[in-house]
Amino acid sequence: MVRPSGLLTRQEEPVPLKSICVTLSIREFVAGVAATLNYENEEKFPLETFFVFPMDEDSAVYSFEAMVDGKTIKAELKDKKKAHIIYESAISHRHQAFLLEEDKCSRDVFCCNVGNLQPGSKVALTLKYVQELPLEADGALRYVLPAVLNPRYRCSGSPEDSCLDLKTPIVPLDDLPYSFSMTATVSSQHGIETIQSNCPLSPIEYLGDKKTSAQISLADGHKFDRDVELLIYYREVHTPSVAVELGNPKNNPDGLMKDPSAMVCFYPNIPEVEPSAICGEFVFLMDCSGSMQCPISKQDKSQLRIEAAKETLILLLKSLPVNCYFNIYAFGSSFEAFFPNSVKYTQDTMEEALRRVKLMRADLGGTEILTPLQVIYREPSIPGHPLQLFVFTDGEVTDTFSIIKEVRNHRLRHRCFSFGIGEGASTSLIKGIARVGGGTSEFITGKDRMQAKALRALKHALQPAVEDVSVNWDLPRGLSAKTLSPEQTVLYKGQRLIVYAQLTGTMPPEEETGEVCLNYTLQGKSCENKVTFSLQPKLDDNFTIHRLAAKAFLQSMDIGFGETPAKTKKDVLKVSIDCGVISSHTAFIAINKDVNKPVQGPLVCRDIPRPVLLGAAAQMPQCKRVGSARIFGCRYGSQPPPNIFQARELPVQDIMPEDLKDLESGSWGFDLPTRAPPVFGETYLVQLISLQNADGSWDLDEDLARILGISLKDLWSALPVKDADSSSWATVLAVVWLHAKAKHQKCEWELLEKKARTWINSNAGSIKKKLVKAAIAFTKSSVDPAVFGI
């Protein structure tokens, strides 16, 4: 990183960056983006400016150019060290120079340097990138334009010359001195169902009889208080496809760009199977740093990150399979393990973990993930119980590559599922550890519920392993395919799989077709998915498929600046430069060679201000309070055991979130109690789940009666079979309650509900049918008895 010679950040200084304009084109599930930074030097002396900004980790940046007073200067991609030498030489000789590079600490942070911007001069810098769009569980394609870059916690051993070290001015969102705009075009041959955004949009204009395209623009006045997110729903998204793109042999006689490239999109039809008898070891690594005390987003009534994390842990604990092993680690500047080693999942260990979860606070300082990770990996494996690691963090660290490398080194003994919490979470960290760890990654922003996304990941973790994954090509004689994507070892039901390949040899006549087949084994059964496609390649001036293929290769081989082995670095440099896709070892450099004479006058540094939602732990802003209630941290009433539970204050909206008010009363025919406030911001749903036993059952007691809003005496009186096991009656009532009162949150409780039904089938025996019918009639609900298998 080129260090500025001085930091002049007084508030009265003019800022040379005037506006950021983004043009977005989304075709099917690929986004092409052009972002232009408009600079103007209104001062009387030449400037050198530094602008640090976030990018999504999956972005394949392939172009950088400068428009200087009407003249275009195209940057070259070079070895990063050489690019720095060229830039510094140009600056010292008073020539205009422009540099764009990834940060040394993380792939999702970039720095743009403008050197020797002359007085009165205007410069427009445009960078272009392409990106695959991830597929959400509900079928939406998710595009995120990062606008928030939070300070990252510096750990010992992090690079000293990271662009994150630049002391860029931080200003209130309303005082940001540059504007932001975005226009987008979305197109799909299958038609567009709808488009949603977390930011205000101008009216969406749909084109075509089948709404095959749409024009979108961001409403004026975006405040950089959130990332810009689009959720795009097509009428059909699960159609397998293959696209073949022409190469560029004229300009690339021996590289990846020479030959045609293919992009294969599979939606594996993995059949439903019963979970394996092997349960697993489940380890939850939860961020308890100071920044977790703030809301997930700035939207009204957004849940505090730490409170959402605690609810999520409760749901996960209750959803774990019987006879598995588990442990929980809370980390910040230090870390705490709930148990010395992973313990067997029993009623006692579950209750102890639940007690400690309710005591968790966002009070452990900074964010140091590496040390607890190393401790977890040093623990011996438990025979017959493969390790499943769940990492929850707001992702504000500078040792990203070290963490990814640690997970990668242990990829053969575990799967890693990661969750980025809140605006500005590092996509490089969250996606990186999931990718090398064979798991999935999720981001929780806006109105997203962490609970639903965590339970979806747990379902993936409980799936039997898909083995012997391979991709095979059936092509005409004289044509072969070389796979460029990393070897795929893990497949999950409902997920998309993208494979890139280089086609070498003689392309056949136009009417010829090829076939590609995805093969895998599931519980000893062989499965396959085939796609037939045309071998006639299409021309794309941006070489989108080639760039994405190069990015896939770089993500698998480029471990990070300072981490990539020398032998691998050589291959990384070649692919990066040949394909024009930036890596941690390359940078874009442009020199204005047409300036007739050197820039005159002393060079002054200017750092572009950036908005920040959350400070580092030491700079944490006070979270806004909207009324408060003083409650005890336990569910045992108002007299907790001494020295165990603490009284604390919580925002009122966290006690009963607006979107869950329907849990207060409804189809039961009576009102739920209002005298006992929910505990720790818990809804009645979370309280009910907290009462479930490790084996899936509920006890018939006062706690359950209070949640159901019925006296314990009346519950006993309604027991349809005298001398029947009261737990069977209680468990049936609890399951009926879930279906009647929390159906819209089924994705959060379906695993624990399945465990409850399994317990009922094993313990209720011949009276199950009577219990179910009596419970539905007693509660005056409309639950279908079929949910119990009746």
Side-chain angles (χ1 to χ4, degrees):
M1 177 66 210
V2 179
R3 299 305 298 267
S5 57
L7 296 177
L8 306 174
T9 58
R10 296 191 307 273
Q11 187 174 358
E12 64 270 18
E13 292 172 344
V15 174
L17 178 62
K18 300 304 178 184
S19 65
I20 302 174
C21 304
V22 176
T23 302
L24 169 65
S25 175
I26 297 176
R27 294 182 180 179
E28 305 301 346
F29 55 87
V30 174
V33 184
T36 300
L37 312 176
N38 294 297
Y39 292 83
E40 181 178 1
N41 184 1
E42 298 175 331
E43 302 189 54
K44 297 180 180 180
F45 31 76
L47 299 178
E48 181 179 22
T49 70
F50 303 87
F51 182 42
V52 180
F53 57 96
M55 290 276 285
D56 192 284
E57 204 262 359
D58 290 333
S59 304
V61 180
Y62 66 89
S63 175
F64 182 54
E65 61 184 31
M67 177 75 74
V68 183
D69 298 326
K71 184 175 182 60
T72 301
I73 305 168
K74 192 167 181 63
E76 297 180 64
L77 189 62
K78 293 184 176 294
D79 181 294
K80 183 177 285 189
K81 292 181 180 179
K82 292 180 181 179
H84 278 231
I85 293 172
I86 295 171
Y87 178 85
E88 291 169 357
S89 175
I91 292 298
S92 65
H93 288 88
R94 297 303 181 92
H95 293 299
Q96 283 186 336
F98 311 93
L99 181 72
L100 178 71
E101 62 179 333
E102 282 185 5
D103 181 49
K104 288 187 176 181
C105 292
S106 186
R107 284 197 183 96
D108 62 347
V109 178
F110 278 65
C111 184
C112 179
N113 297 6
V114 178
N116 283 320
L117 183 61
Q118 300 183 72
S121 180
K122 293 183 179 180
V123 176
L125 300 180
T126 300
L127 63 95
K128 297 179 181 180
Y129 67 89
V130 290
Q131 174 188 351
E132 298 169 8
L133 299 187
L135 184 66
E136 297 289 289
D138 63 355
L141 290 167
R142 183 174 183 259
Y143 170 75
V144 176
L145 181 66
V148 176
L149 177 58
N150 293 323
R152 309 232 170 155
Y153 182 80
R154 171 165 290 288
C155 305
S156 59
S158 299
E160 292 298 324
D161 53 355
S162 164
C163 62
L164 291 166
D165 288 340
L166 284 175
K167 294 179 173 57
T168 51
I170 296 174
V171 299
L173 295 174
D174 291 337
D175 296 337
L176 206 62
Y178 46 89
S179 63
F180 177 84
S181 63
M182 185 189 80
T183 58
T185 301
V186 180
S187 59
S188 171
Q189 62 177 333
H190 301 293
I192 302 167
E193 192 71 42
T194 185
I195 299 173
Q196 300 174 4
S197 178
N198 65 331
C199 297
L201 299 175
S202 299
I204 300 175
E205 182 181 357
Y206 291 99
L207 306 174
D209 295 337
K210 297 182 179 180
K211 293 171 63 175
T212 53
S213 66
Q215 304 269 348
I216 306 168
S217 61
L218 196 63
D220 293 338
H222 182 70
K223 296 297 185 182
F224 285 85
D225 60 341
R226 68 193 72 174
D227 295 336
V228 179
E229 180 179 295
L230 296 177
L231 292 176
I232 302 156
Y233 294 84
Y234 294 142
R235 290 198 171 95
E236 177 57 57
V237 293
H238 294 94
T239 303
S241 63
V242 180
V244 182
E245 180 181 270
L246 274 173
N248 186 16
K250 182 177 179 181
N251 296 329
N252 297 270
D254 62 352
L256 187 150
M257 299 290 287
K258 172 189 173 185
D259 298 304
S261 285
M263 181 183 192
V264 185
C265 180
F266 285 112
Y267 294 90
N269 185 23
I270 300 175
E272 289 278 2
V273 294
E274 284 300 313
S276 169
I278 299 177
C279 291
E281 176 190 7
F282 299 87
V283 175
F284 305 103
L285 184 56
M286 181 61 70
D287 192 340
C288 288
S289 61
S291 54
M292 289 288 289
Q293 184 58 30
C294 276
I296 289 177
S297 78
K298 290 196 68 177
Q299 298 184 24
D300 291 342
K301 301 181 180 178
S302 178
Q303 194 173 23
L304 295 184
R305 298 178 181 186
I306 190 63
E307 297 303 323
K310 287 157 64 175
E311 279 193 15
T312 300
L313 282 175
I314 291 173
L315 289 169
L316 288 168
L317 281 171
K318 297 296 183 174
S319 301
L320 290 177
V322 178
N323 295 323
C324 73
Y325 286 76
F326 78 101
N327 204 350
I328 299 174
Y329 289 75
F331 73 90
S333 300
S334 58
F335 71 95
E336 303 168 357
F338 279 24
F339 304 99
N341 307 100
S342 291
V343 294
K344 193 168 185 179
Y345 182 69
T346 66
Q347 185 65 25
D348 290 340
T349 57
M350 185 200 69
E351 286 184 350
E352 172 61 15
L354 190 64
R355 182 186 71 81
R356 297 198 61 174
V357 164
K358 291 186 174 183
L359 291 172
M360 289 176 68
R361 303 286 186 271
D363 59 0
L364 291 183
T367 308
E368 295 198 23
I369 305 177
L370 185 58
T371 300
L373 268 179
Q374 292 169 335
V375 170
I376 291 169
Y377 291 142
R378 281 200 296 265
E379 292 294 324
S381 299
I382 301 174
H385 293 270
L387 175 62
Q388 312 273 15
L389 177 64
F390 292 71
V391 180
F392 298 83
T393 179
D394 52 18
E396 298 163 16
V397 297
T398 55
D399 57 344
T400 298
F401 291 136
S402 298
I403 295 169
I404 293 174
K405 184 179 179 180
E406 185 69 20
V407 175
R408 181 190 181 108
N409 289 342
H410 296 86
R411 65 188 181 278
L412 298 179
R413 60 165 292 202
H414 85 306
R415 288 190 287 186
C416 180
F417 300 85
S418 57
F419 305 85
I421 305 168
E423 308 285 354
S426 170
T427 59
S428 184
L429 174 67
I430 302 304
K431 291 183 178 181
I433 60 176
R435 183 176 61 250
V436 301
T440 59
S441 60
E442 297 277 5
F443 291 87
I444 299 99
T445 59
K447 294 183 179 180
D448 291 341
R449 282 183 60 78
M450 186 190 310
Q451 298 87 329
K453 294 194 172 186
L455 267 293
R456 183 160 66 241
L458 180 59
K459 291 174 196 173
H460 289 323
L462 292 173
Q463 286 182 12
V466 174
E467 301 173 322
D468 304 324
V469 180
S470 64
V471 175
N472 300 296
W473 299 79
D474 184 5
L475 302 172
R477 183 186 298 272
L479 189 65
S480 62
K482 176 185 177 183
T483 302
L484 300 173
S485 306
E487 181 183 358
Q488 192 72 29
T489 58
V490 179
L491 294 175
Y492 296 106
K493 183 174 178 62
Q495 284 200 312
R496 182 184 63 198
L497 171 65
I498 295 176
V499 177
Y500 296 99
Q502 184 179 27
L503 301 181
T504 58
T506 304
M507 296 302 292
E510 185 174 343
E511 63 274 7
E512 289 279 358
T513 61
E515 186 178 80
V516 59
C517 182
L518 172 67
N519 298 280
Y520 55 92
T521 302
L522 180 64
Q523 291 188 328
K525 181 181 178 181
S526 296
C527 305
E528 65 177 24
N529 292 149
K530 292 183 179 180
V531 183
T532 301
F533 62 97
S534 169
L535 283 168
Q536 198 63 29
K538 302 290 180 63
L539 175 65
D540 181 348
D541 292 337
N542 293 325
F543 296 100
T544 299
I545 294 177
H546 285 78
R547 314 283 194 195
L548 291 173
K551 182 66 177 180
F553 174 84
L554 293 173
Q555 282 183 320
S556 64
M557 303 299 289
D558 184 7
I559 304 175
F561 191 87
E563 298 285 354
T564 305
K567 182 179 179 182
T568 305
K569 179 182 174 181
K570 184 178 179 181
D571 295 333
V572 167
L573 280 170
K574 177 172 174 51
V575 170
S576 177
I577 293 173
D578 284 352
C579 298
V581 176
I582 202 168
S583 71
S584 66
H585 299 281
T586 52
F588 281 104
I589 178 70
I591 308 297
N592 188 356
K593 300 176 183 178
D594 294 336
V595 178
N596 293 326
K597 59 181 181 179
V599 175
Q600 302 299 314
L603 186 63
V604 177
C605 293
R606 290 287 183 263
D607 296 300
I608 308 302
R610 59 187 173 92
V612 175
L613 292 186
L614 302 175
Q619 301 173 328
M620 277 286 297
Q622 292 295 318
C623 296
K624 184 178 179 182
R625 289 179 55 193
V626 188
S628 63
R630 195 165 184 80
I631 58 178
F632 284 100
C634 68
R635 63 176 173 83
Y636 299 102
S638 60
Q639 299 297 325
N643 301 322
I644 296 180
F645 299 104
Q646 303 173 14
R648 65 184 303 231
E649 290 189 346
L650 288 177
V652 164
Q653 76 266 24
D654 286 323
I655 292 177
M656 184 58 69
E658 193 73 26
D659 60 344
L660 296 176
K661 279 187 175 179
D662 61 328
L663 296 186
E664 294 181 56
S665 61
S667 59
W668 289 97
F670 47 78
D671 292 331
L672 289 174
T674 58
R675 63 183 182 276
V679 179
F680 272 102
E682 295 171 359
T683 63
Y684 287 104
L685 170 63
V686 178
Q687 288 189 76
L688 178 70
I689 291 171
S690 297
L691 296 178
Q692 188 183 32
N693 296 317
D695 61 7
S697 67
W698 272 266
D699 296 327
L700 191 62
D701 56 20
E702 289 287 358
D703 289 324
L704 179 64
R706 186 181 70 249
I707 293 170
L708 299 181
I710 309 171
S711 71
L712 183 59
K713 180 180 178 181
D714 288 344
L715 288 176
W716 275 103
S717 299
L719 184 61
V721 180
K722 301 303 180 184
D723 300 325
D725 178 19
S726 62
S727 291
S728 297
W729 176 233
T731 305
V732 170
L733 285 169
V735 171
V736 169
W737 191 99
L738 288 172
H739 284 274
K741 301 298 293 179
K743 189 175 181 179
H744 61 294
Q745 287 177 267
K746 183 178 179 180
C747 59
E748 298 180 18
W749 51 254
E750 61 181 323
L751 285 177
L752 63 90
E753 184 263 1
K754 183 177 181 181
K755 187 162 65 169
R757 286 189 287 106
T758 299
W759 185 91
I760 292 170
N761 290 336
S762 299
N763 291 272
S766 60
I767 64 170
K768 181 180 78 170
K769 189 173 183 179
K770 288 185 178 180
L771 292 175
V772 170
K773 289 186 175 181
I776 293 173
F778 178 61
T779 57
K780 301 178 183 178
S781 71
S782 57
V783 174
D784 187 348
V787 302
F788 291 88
I790 296 176

